[in-house]
Amino acid sequence: MKLPILKSSLFILLGLLSLNCTQSEKKERVEIKHLDSGKILPEEADLPFSEAVLVDNTLYLSGQIGIIPGTLTLVEGGIGAESKQVMENIKTTLEAHDFNMNDILKCTIMIDDISQWSSFNEIYKTYFEEPYPARSAFGADGLALGAAIEVECIAVLKSD
C-alpha cells in the first residue's frame, strides 16, 4: 500500500520541479533605456554617463549640479543659487522624460560643506509637499566642477 503513495508523491514532486525549471527559464528581461534630453548637459561635453536611465516605470537620475543648462558652468551665488539651479535641473530632466517632482521617491544629497545644510533645505522644501521623498545625505569633498551641492534622484510613475 505504501508503494503507490510513494510513486504518486514522487510523480508530483518531479512535476513541480519541472514546472519550476520551466518558469525560471522563462524570466523576462526588462527594457532599459539610457536617456539624454539635451536640455541640461551640453551635447558636445561627451560625458561618460547618461542623464537618466529608465527601467520599466522607474527613472534613475544621475547626480545634478547647479550648472547653467547647456553649459558646464556653475551658476554664481554660492550654495543658495546652486541649490535652486540643481532643483530646477532635476525638474527639467524629469519633465523631459514625462515625469514630475511628485514622482520622486528618493533623493541622495552630496554637499561639500555640511554646515550649509540648512541653506540647501530651505530651497529643497520649496520643490516638494509633505510627505517628502526618502532622502540620504553626506558631506563630500571634490564634487564635479567644484560644485557646492549634488543631488541624484529616483522617480517612479505611480498608478492613478
Side-chain angles (χ1 to χ4, degrees):
M1 267 197 159
K2 290 183 180 180
L3 192 55
I5 293 172
L6 182 60
K7 282 184 181 178
S8 61
S9 296
L10 185 57
F11 179 73
I12 291 170
L13 180 61
L14 287 173
L16 290 172
L17 286 173
S18 125
L19 178 63
N20 191 30
C21 289
T22 305
Q23 287 176 345
S24 61
E25 290 171 7
K26 291 184 180 180
K27 288 183 181 174
E28 292 185 33
R29 293 196 175 268
V30 296
E31 185 177 1
I32 298 172
K33 293 180 182 176
H34 295 81
L35 306 171
D36 288 295
S37 68
K39 295 185 180 237
I40 302 298
L41 297 170
E43 291 180 29
E44 66 277 0
D46 194 33
L47 299 169
F49 58 88
S50 296
E51 174 181 82
V53 176
L54 181 65
V55 181
D56 286 337
N57 65 341
T58 304
L59 188 67
Y60 299 87
L61 272 65
S62 288
Q64 293 277 348
I65 59 175
I67 58 172
I68 299 165
T71 74
L72 291 178
T73 304
L74 291 168
V75 296
E76 294 182 11
I79 187 74
E82 283 187 47
S83 296
K84 182 160 180 46
Q85 190 63 56
V86 163
M87 299 309 293
E88 285 297 317
N89 290 350
I90 289 168
K91 184 177 176 184
T92 298
T93 301
L94 288 168
E95 290 171 355
H97 303 298
D98 298 322
F99 284 73
N100 63 56
M101 296 299 283
N102 293 327
D103 296 322
I104 293 177
L105 60 96
K106 171 77 166 77
C107 292
T108 302
I109 317 309
M110 295 149 272
I111 188 167
D112 77 338
D113 181 356
I114 204 72
S115 72
Q116 297 292 315
W117 184 245
S118 61
S119 296
F120 170 73
N121 265 340
E122 290 305 311
I123 304 293
Y124 178 87
K125 290 188 301 187
T126 66
Y127 285 84
F128 298 102
E129 295 176 5
E130 291 187 37
Y132 297 114
R135 188 170 80 169
S136 301
F138 57 90
D141 185 27
L143 295 173
L145 304 177
I149 193 89
E150 182 171 346
V151 180
E152 70 175 30
C153 300
I154 301 170
V156 173
L157 286 177
K158 301 169 187 100
S159 57
D160 294 329

